[in-house]
Amino acid sequence: MLTISELFDLDHTKAKAYLAQYTYPWEALKGLKDFILQLGATLPAEEYRQLSPGVWVHVEAKIAPTAYLGAPCIIGAGTEIRHCAFIRGSALIGENCVVGNSAELKNAILFDNVQTPHYNYVGDSILGYRSHMGAGAVTSNVKSDKTPVVVRDGEERKATGLKKLGAMLGDFVEVGCNSVLNPGTVIGRRSNVYPLSCVRGTVPADSIYKTGGVVVKKR
């Protein structure tokens, strides 16, 4: 359940060929900055404006005047970057996404139709097609003891070698308001997380993560 093919439909991101090189999604984070720079240089000038070095924005995207766009980043068609959004860099944002007021992104891939609309932090993470983070939901990307993150799936342990790793959200995942996704969290396709949850480890596909860490299958 941890692999790219199990979590994502790659037809909904410009990172399709890049992600297809890897087995696990977190493996793609280390080289994401270089990939965005390479991809940006190939984008058609009639579709993407280069607002500053390393920053490409589709002509049909909407960017609030108070938003900060750090390099490198690519913002797709139909995406809305709202007031006071802070894109720190190394962000590939797909089509028809919403990055809302006071949301912060860094070293992240947002597939098409992803919504992070209110007070979200998304760092060192990948958010699959049509995933949604409720108001105040954040990805925690550094362990308190600063040791490398290990991804857990039941008894299985996957060493990532990364000291910064947020969350991997599969397609159609819904994260409730004010939830915290701890470092290395993986949430399978079509799963829901209750508001105010503190999530760690892996949540299987088609599941509901309830208060207190109880996980049940959807009916």
Side-chain angles (χ1 to χ4, degrees):
M1 208 218 77
L2 302 176
T3 65
I4 288 171
S5 61
E6 291 169 311
L7 289 167
F8 309 118
D9 179 351
L10 296 184
D11 288 333
H12 296 290
T13 176
K14 286 189 177 298
K16 178 178 181 177
Y18 175 68
L19 289 172
Q21 303 175 85
Y22 301 101
T23 301
Y24 301 106
W26 54 86
E27 295 172 331
L29 293 175
K30 188 175 182 180
L32 184 56
K33 178 179 179 180
D34 290 339
F35 168 69
I36 293 172
L37 288 169
Q38 292 167 8
L39 177 61
T42 70
L43 295 173
E46 64 272 16
E47 296 181 21
Y48 285 84
R49 297 169 293 166
Q50 189 169 5
L51 300 188
S52 60
V55 176
W56 294 271
V57 177
H58 196 279
V59 295
E60 295 180 359
K62 297 179 181 178
I63 311 297
T66 56
Y68 176 85
L69 307 182
C73 72
I74 296 172
I75 298 171
T79 286
E80 182 180 0
I81 310 295
R82 293 176 177 168
H83 284 281
C84 298
F86 181 25
I87 299 175
R88 285 169 52 189
S90 298
L92 176 59
I93 303 170
E95 298 181 359
N96 303 309
C97 294
V98 175
V99 180
N101 58 303
S102 304
E104 179 179 349
L105 271 62
K106 58 88 67 171
N107 204 45
I109 297 174
L110 272 59
F111 278 53
D112 298 339
N113 297 86
V114 169
Q115 294 193 341
T116 59
H118 311 285
Y119 310 107
N120 304 111
Y121 174 69
V122 180
D124 302 285
S125 299
I126 300 178
L127 277 54
Y129 178 61
R130 289 193 178 276
S131 59
H132 170 260
M133 296 186 70
V138 298
T139 65
S140 173
N141 60 341
V142 180
K143 294 172 62 178
S144 59
D145 61 7
K146 307 301 189 292
T147 58
V149 178
V150 175
V151 176
R152 302 181 179 186
D153 184 11
E155 296 300 318
E156 185 179 8
R157 301 289 186 271
K158 292 287 185 183
T160 68
L162 300 173
K163 287 191 175 181
K164 290 188 177 182
L165 174 59
M168 306 289 120
L169 272 56
D171 298 338
F172 301 100
V173 164
E174 292 279 344
V175 179
C177 296
N178 290 320
S179 292
V180 176
L181 308 180
N182 284 280
T185 293
V186 178
I187 302 178
R189 290 184 182 184
R190 299 172 298 275
S191 286
N192 292 58
V193 174
Y194 271 19
L196 297 174
S197 294
C198 182
V199 187
R200 65 179 68 250
T202 298
V203 179
D206 300 298
S207 297
I208 300 173
Y209 188 99
K210 296 187 174 185
T211 304
V214 175
V215 179
V216 299
K217 293 293 291 183
K218 286 185 175 179
R219 295 179 179 178

